[in-house]
């Protein structure tokens, strides 16, 4: 078999995997919030069994340039109000933005706690940070990859919702690249900047300097 045929086969396999639907829809209901009214739709990933949630505002099917936030679960920042990260504020800002635009989709990715290491290991990483490690080195010290998150489920959810192209609300270039690798048409990126404060400034500086996040204001 020639190298050209092998290359064509690899391209075909990559295309099929990138367009594979890896979730199935399980339920949907109206979701009134303090930000406004959303439609909540749940999905289960066929590969992992993890449930994810999409909060949508407006009619998304077939729409171009839909504002989208793919948000990683953060129990500490969102439920406990931890000041060690900006996750809770980013979540609030995204939902406010969607309501103002009367259009948008927040995909809440469960299983992404601590860039994929889970809540227990995340707290262990915090303990290392108290000893001088940054967020990247703490994950590595615990034996985990720098970032173990996967976005195939998010891409499948966007396909099932019928979104044609998106404006991605993120500061993270890796998230942008991951969705494009999944064949999602990201036509624009918008920053989602929140104010730094004493407990989060080192975390945000590490995001900028080691992860390449678009946080030039920090």
């Amino acid at each position: 078999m020639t190298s050209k045929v092998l290359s064509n086969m690899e391209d075909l396999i990559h295309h099929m995997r990138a367009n594979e639907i890896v979730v199935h829809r399980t339920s949907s209901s109206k979701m009134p919030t303090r930000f406004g009214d959303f439609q909540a739709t749940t999905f289960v990933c066929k590969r992992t069994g993890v449930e994810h949630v999409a909060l949508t505002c407006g009619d998304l099917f077939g729409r171009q340039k839909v504002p989208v936030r793919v948000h990683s679960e953060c129990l500490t920042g969102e439920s406990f109000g931890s000041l060690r990260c900006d996750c809770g504020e980013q979540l609030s800002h995204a939902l406010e933005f969607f309501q103002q635009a009367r259009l948008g989709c927040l995909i809440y990715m469960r299983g992404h706690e601590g860039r994929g290491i889970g809540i227990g290991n995340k707290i262990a990483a915090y303990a290392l940070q108290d000893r001088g490690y940054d967020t990247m080195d703490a994950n590595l010290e615990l034996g985990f990859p720098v970032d173990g998150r996967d976005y195939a489920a998010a891409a499948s959810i966007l396909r099932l919702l019928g979104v044609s192209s998106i404006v991605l609300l993120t500061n993270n270039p890796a998230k942008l690249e991951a969705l494009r690798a999944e064949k999602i048409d990201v036509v624009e990126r918008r920053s989602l900047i929140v104010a730094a404060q004493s407990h989060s400034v080192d975390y945000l500086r590490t995001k900028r300097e080691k992860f390449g996040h678009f946080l030039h204001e920090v």
Side-chain angles (χ1 to χ4, degrees), residues 15-199:
H15 176 78
M16 291 173 65
R17 287 178 177 170
N19 289 279
E20 182 186 359
I21 301 297
V22 300
V23 300
H24 64 269
R25 193 186 321 237
T26 54
S27 61
S28 188
S29 174
K30 293 180 180 178
M31 180 64 68
T33 75
R34 63 188 176 92
F35 305 102
D37 294 337
F38 291 88
Q39 187 75 16
T41 306
T42 60
F43 301 84
V44 174
C45 181
K46 300 174 186 177
R47 295 174 179 173
T48 64
V50 174
E51 292 181 300
H52 306 291
V53 184
L55 288 185
T56 59
C57 176
D59 184 8
L60 307 187
F61 194 84
R63 291 289 295 266
Q64 302 280 342
K65 297 184 178 180
V66 174
V68 169
R69 167 73 180 167
V70 178
H71 189 87
S72 294
E73 176 182 28
C74 179
L75 177 68
T76 52
E78 296 153 9
S79 297
F80 302 153
S82 170
L83 300 178
R84 300 187 75 136
C85 67
D86 57 348
C87 303
E89 289 185 87
Q90 284 191 317
L91 179 64
S92 297
H93 286 3
L95 295 177
E96 289 171 354
F97 180 88
F98 298 149
Q99 284 295 322
Q100 290 171 4
R102 297 188 178 183
L103 180 71
C105 173
L106 182 131
I107 299 176
Y108 191 84
M109 301 296 295
R110 298 185 63 247
H112 275 198
E113 189 84 46
R115 299 192 181 95
I117 66 175
I119 186 63
N121 290 313
K122 179 180 178 179
I123 299 301
Y126 280 169
L128 289 174
Q129 290 167 41
D130 291 340
R131 291 164 46 192
Y133 288 75
D134 62 34
T135 54
M136 176 181 284
D137 291 339
N139 274 28
L140 294 173
E141 179 68 16
L142 291 171
F144 294 103
V146 168
D147 192 336
R149 291 174 292 183
D150 181 270
Y151 297 98
S156 290
I157 290 170
L158 289 170
R159 292 191 185 96
L160 289 178
L161 292 174
V163 175
S164 293
S165 65
I166 71 171
V167 175
L168 187 64
L169 276 60
T170 187
N171 307 321
N172 185 354
K175 190 178 294 184
L176 177 69
E177 293 167 7
L179 288 174
R180 283 179 169 161
E182 295 289 340
K183 304 304 180 184
I184 297 300
D185 186 10
V186 185
V187 296
E188 185 181 344
R189 183 200 66 83
R190 291 190 183 182
S191 293
L192 200 59
I193 305 294
V194 302
Q197 39 75 33
S198 60
H199 294 285

